[in-house]
Amino acid sequence: MKSWKTVLGLTAASALTILAACGGGDSESGSGDDKTLVVGASNVPHAEILEHVQDEYEEKGYTLEIKKFQDYVLPNKTLADGELDANYFQHQPYLESQMAENKDYKFASAGGVHIEPIGVYSQDYASLDELPDGAEIIMSSSVADHGRILTMLQSEGLLTLAEGKTTDATVSDIVDNPKNLEFKTDVEAALLPQAFNNGEGDAVLINTNYAIDAGLNPLEDAIALEGEDSPYVNLIVTREGDEDDERVKALLEVLTSEETQQWILDEYKGAVVPVKQ
């Protein structure tokens, strides 16, 4: 496989650990400073994009502190606890599922920044057509990703979902499965690259941020990639009522500027797609 970025040694133990945390916070707001914004983000590409706009953000009179996470649970918990002012790692379906599961999560989207197409990776097969009868498909344990993945596989002609099922689909909603695909759905999203590297399953569906972080190039290494029309836009999320905070609005301005959009396209070679172009 072609290495795209240097891998910093993800292990199973680090999958649920906050990495490189910086900045402090009181129990009510991330920084306790009306000119400082503390944002939690996945290591790649979210934190990298935030680092890219730090100088431009400072030119607007604010300071951006970034706390890096390598899982999909702690960023929302930490936001709810008041240690962050915002987070940047999730799309709307995941946000809604998390608020449904955790009644104390009172969050709001301040706006979208980019899309990360999910890719299908295989050690043994060069295309989806080559997958054998009874192939094992490994995907994230995040139920919010299941409908997204199954809809993608349906668009590729591998299966058919029950009528009306899209983002809310689960494996039980498959009504036609010509290749008798078997789905393994209990792997933490952060561990999907490790499953792929270990040669587990016949195909592994990996979220782009974890693929990039593990040195994979989605455009070259994936045997199939979600289309750019994906509705799964990655959001800046705040606690409810903070989405119009001037610090947050200023961050959205620099994240969606023409310069930043072009940098995202150049840096990630189309594997990360800005929502405004």
Side-chain angles (χ1 to χ4, degrees):
M1 308 299 288
K2 299 179 179 65
S3 178
W4 195 21
K5 286 186 176 285
T6 302
V7 181
L8 298 180
L10 256 182
T11 64
S14 68
L16 294 176
T17 304
I18 299 177
L19 301 181
C22 63
D26 56 35
S27 61
E28 298 300 325
S29 63
S31 65
D33 177 355
D34 62 5
K35 292 296 183 181
T36 299
L37 189 72
V38 182
V39 181
S42 296
N43 193 39
V44 179
H46 307 78
E48 292 180 341
I49 296 172
L50 290 174
E51 288 166 356
H52 175 75
V53 303
Q54 271 185 306
D55 290 344
E56 186 179 355
Y57 190 65
E58 288 184 3
E59 291 174 4
K60 289 182 173 291
Y62 301 102
T63 298
L64 177 62
E65 294 186 8
I66 304 165
K67 289 188 176 183
K68 299 180 184 179
F69 294 81
Q70 202 57 48
D71 79 298
Y72 286 167
V73 177
L74 290 175
N76 278 335
K77 183 179 186 302
T78 310
L79 178 61
D81 289 344
E83 297 175 35
L84 303 173
D85 297 307
N87 66 40
Y88 174 34
F89 78 101
Q90 63 192 318
H91 50 62
Q92 190 69 33
Y94 183 77
L95 173 62
E96 291 174 358
S97 71
Q98 285 291 288
M99 289 194 294
E101 292 175 14
N102 301 274
K103 300 305 182 183
D104 59 327
Y105 284 5
K106 306 298 183 183
F107 297 151
S109 167
V113 181
H114 74 268
I115 296 166
E116 299 171 27
I118 283 182
V120 185
Y121 298 81
S122 177
Q123 295 276 20
D124 300 314
Y125 305 102
S127 71
L128 294 177
D129 290 338
E130 293 182 12
L131 291 175
D133 186 76
E136 182 182 51
I137 309 298
I138 299 177
M139 61 190 202
S140 167
S141 59
S142 172
V143 177
D145 276 341
H146 292 181
R148 177 182 187 179
I149 290 168
L150 294 172
T151 300
M152 173 191 175
L153 295 179
Q154 177 174 248
S155 70
E156 295 285 348
L158 291 182
L159 53 83
T160 302
L161 297 170
E163 186 175 354
K165 286 293 182 178
T166 55
T167 59
D168 60 339
T170 65
V171 172
S172 64
D173 293 312
I174 299 173
V175 295
D176 188 27
N177 185 2
K179 284 182 175 283
N180 299 305
L181 302 176
E182 298 181 2
F183 293 89
K184 181 178 176 61
T185 62
D186 60 353
V187 179
E188 288 284 344
L191 300 181
L192 290 168
Q194 182 176 314
F196 167 71
N197 288 329
N198 290 344
E200 299 176 30
D202 295 290
V204 184
L205 285 107
I206 306 177
N207 306 71
T208 290
N209 59 315
Y210 290 128
I212 293 173
D213 207 23
L216 295 168
N217 181 335
L219 295 181
E220 296 181 11
D221 298 327
I223 64 173
L225 199 62
E226 187 179 21
E228 294 182 3
D229 58 349
S230 167
Y232 290 83
V233 177
N234 282 232
L235 310 167
I236 296 294
V237 173
T238 68
R239 288 182 296 278
E240 199 171 72
D242 292 342
E243 62 269 28
D244 292 323
D245 187 303
E246 291 301 321
R247 298 170 299 168
V248 175
K249 291 197 291 186
L251 179 62
L252 261 295
E253 287 177 9
V254 298
L255 285 172
T256 57
S257 70
E258 289 186 11
E259 187 279 330
T260 302
Q261 292 168 16
Q262 190 58 53
W263 181 85
I264 290 173
L265 289 172
D266 293 341
E267 180 71 10
Y268 300 107
K269 307 296 187 293
V272 180
V273 183
V275 295
K276 296 179 182 178
Q277 298 184 38

